[in-house]
Amino acid sequence: MYSPIPERWAQYYLGNAPSLVWLLLANIVAVLVGVRYYVETMPDVSTFAWPLYGDSPTAVFLGLLSLATLLPHLGKRVREAPLNRPLAYLHTLAFVWLVKYAVWTFLALNLRFSLYFPEVWAYFGILLTHLAFVGEAFLLPHYGATTRGALAFSLGALLLNDFVDYWLAGTVGCVLGSPEGRCDLYPPLRYDPGLALPVLTVCLSVACVALAAVVFDRLDAPGGRRPR
C-alpha cells in the first residue's frame, strides 16, 4: 500500500465515529450538489444511463459506499478492516472514479480556460471541490485492496463510460437519450470537446487504473492481504 496521506491521519478520520460520520455526510451533500448540476438535463437521458452521465456524482457515491463499509469497524485499526473480493472491486472502482473525475475536471476547465476563469463557482469552486476527490481517494488504500479482476473490471467500466461520453452517437445513435440536443453523454460543457478532451479522457482512464495497481495492496498476490 502507498498513500501520501499518513496512516495516523487516516486512522483518525476513518476510525472515529464523529469524523467518519461527518465525512459520510459531506459525501452525501456532495452527491446532491453534483446531481443538481445535472438535474435539468437528466430527464433527456435514459434512467439506467444516469450513473454514466453524472460522472462526478457517481464518483462521490462510490466513495460514499466504500467509506460506509468502515462503519461496523469503528474504534478498531482501519488497516485491519475486513476484506473480500466484492469489497476489493468496490474500493478499486471508487478510487479510479474519484481520481479520474477530479483530474478530468481540471483538464476540461483548463482546455478552454477563458470560458470559465475567473468565475468564482464555475472555475474556482468546481475545481477545488473536485480536486478534493483526490484526497478522499487516497484514504481508500489504507483499508482497501485490489485484485487483477477488480483492476480489469474498473478499466472496462471506465472505457465504457468514455465510449458513452464521446463515441456513442457515431456508432449506435441516441439510444440513451440526447442531453442538450446531443447523443453523446459527456458532462455539460461550454464548448465542444473536439478530439483533445476525448483522447485525454481515455489516457486518464488507463492511468487511473495503473495508479490503483500501484497504491493498493493486492488481495490475490502471494503474501498480499487476505479476506478476513
Side-chain angles (χ1 to χ4, degrees):
M1 183 272 294
Y2 169 77
S3 173
I5 298 177
E7 185 172 357
R8 66 182 184 278
W9 292 8
Q11 180 62 42
Y12 176 81
Y13 285 107
L14 303 180
N16 296 308
S19 54
L20 179 59
V21 169
W22 277 111
L23 185 57
L24 292 173
L25 287 174
N27 276 260
I28 292 171
V29 171
V31 170
L32 294 176
V33 171
V35 169
R36 178 66 183 85
Y37 180 74
Y38 290 89
V39 71
E40 293 182 3
T41 54
M42 286 176 75
D44 297 324
V45 177
S46 169
T47 304
F48 298 105
W50 284 358
L52 297 176
Y53 179 51
D55 296 324
S56 294
T58 298
V60 179
F61 183 68
L62 288 169
L64 173 66
L65 291 179
S66 175
L67 292 168
T69 65
L70 291 173
L71 286 172
H73 195 68
L74 280 172
K76 302 175 184 176
R77 190 165 178 248
V78 169
R79 181 72 176 152
E80 297 173 354
L83 275 173
N84 54 44
R85 288 185 181 275
L87 287 178
Y89 276 68
L90 172 61
H91 300 324
T92 306
L93 274 175
F95 178 88
V96 299
W97 237 266
L98 285 166
V99 174
K100 177 179 176 178
Y101 287 103
V103 180
W104 182 91
T105 301
F106 177 84
L107 292 173
L109 293 183
N110 287 287
L111 278 175
R112 297 295 297 273
F113 180 75
S114 62
L115 295 178
Y116 295 95
F117 182 86
E119 295 183 40
V120 174
W121 174 247
Y123 185 77
F124 292 104
I126 291 178
L127 196 62
L128 292 175
T129 53
H130 281 71
L131 290 179
F133 291 8
V134 177
E136 179 163 303
F138 276 103
L139 289 171
L140 275 56
H142 284 280
Y143 62 88
T146 193
T147 67
R148 289 185 293 272
L151 292 168
F153 180 81
S154 297
L155 179 59
L158 288 177
L159 293 177
L160 172 64
N161 202 18
D162 296 342
F163 172 78
V164 169
D165 280 354
Y166 302 107
W167 292 286
L168 184 68
T171 54
V172 294
C174 293
V175 293
L176 297 180
S178 54
E180 300 184 315
R182 52 182 167 82
C183 298
D184 293 320
L185 301 190
Y186 57 82
L189 293 171
R190 295 181 179 179
Y191 61 92
D192 187 285
L195 180 62
L197 187 58
V199 170
L200 288 171
T201 303
V202 171
C203 293
L204 190 55
S205 294
V206 176
C208 288
V209 173
L211 180 62
V214 171
V215 301
F216 279 105
D217 287 339
R218 295 291 293 272
L219 194 63
D220 54 358
R225 297 179 70 183
R226 300 295 178 186
R228 287 188 274 278

